[in-house]
């Protein structure tokens, strides 16, 4: 119970990409709220700032890409790569 903050969203974010762009999916683990948006690399940082995730799941491919890694730098402490 004490692991989650009571008065703020606890968003778990997953980021995916294909040739058409990026997608961000996020869920609030405390309420079950779920959202998905299409985005671009240029908008990714701003979108994540608005969502304010507690954890971000990304593929190893993203983790190793210097351009994507630089966008994700402000959330480095909450990234889980697989």
């Amino acid at each position: 119970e004490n692991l989650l903050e009571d008065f703020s969203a606890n968003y778990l974010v997953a980021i995916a990409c294909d040739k058409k762009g990026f997608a961000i999916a996020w869920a609030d683990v405390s309420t079950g709220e779920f959202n998905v948006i299409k985005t671009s690399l240029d908008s990714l940082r701003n979108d994540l700032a608005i969502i304010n995730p507690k954890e971000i799941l990304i593929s190893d491919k993203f983790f190793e890409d210097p351009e994507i890694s630089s966008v994700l730098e402000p959330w480095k402490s909450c990234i889980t790569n697989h």
Side-chain angles (χ1 to χ4, degrees):
E1 282 181 43
N2 295 336
L3 297 176
L4 301 176
E5 296 177 24
D6 289 338
F7 301 106
S8 64
N10 295 288
Y11 290 125
L12 171 64
V13 167
I15 303 171
C17 83
D18 63 14
K19 294 177 183 178
K20 296 180 182 180
F22 289 82
I24 303 173
W26 68 100
D28 184 333
V29 296
S30 58
T31 66
E33 174 190 356
F34 181 78
N35 300 283
V36 179
I37 60 167
K38 290 172 55 175
T39 191
S40 66
L41 183 59
D42 292 337
S43 299
L44 187 58
R45 183 186 308 254
N46 187 52
D47 292 335
L48 290 173
I50 292 167
I51 297 166
N52 191 25
K54 300 296 186 224
E55 183 174 4
I56 300 174
L57 304 175
I58 61 171
S59 71
D60 289 334
K61 176 179 75 170
F62 288 171
F63 197 71
E64 296 166 359
D65 183 300
E67 191 172 21
I68 297 171
S69 288
S70 69
V71 169
L72 298 175
E73 183 66 30
W75 297 276
K76 187 175 183 177
S77 66
C78 65
I79 291 176
T80 300
N81 61 308
H82 60 89

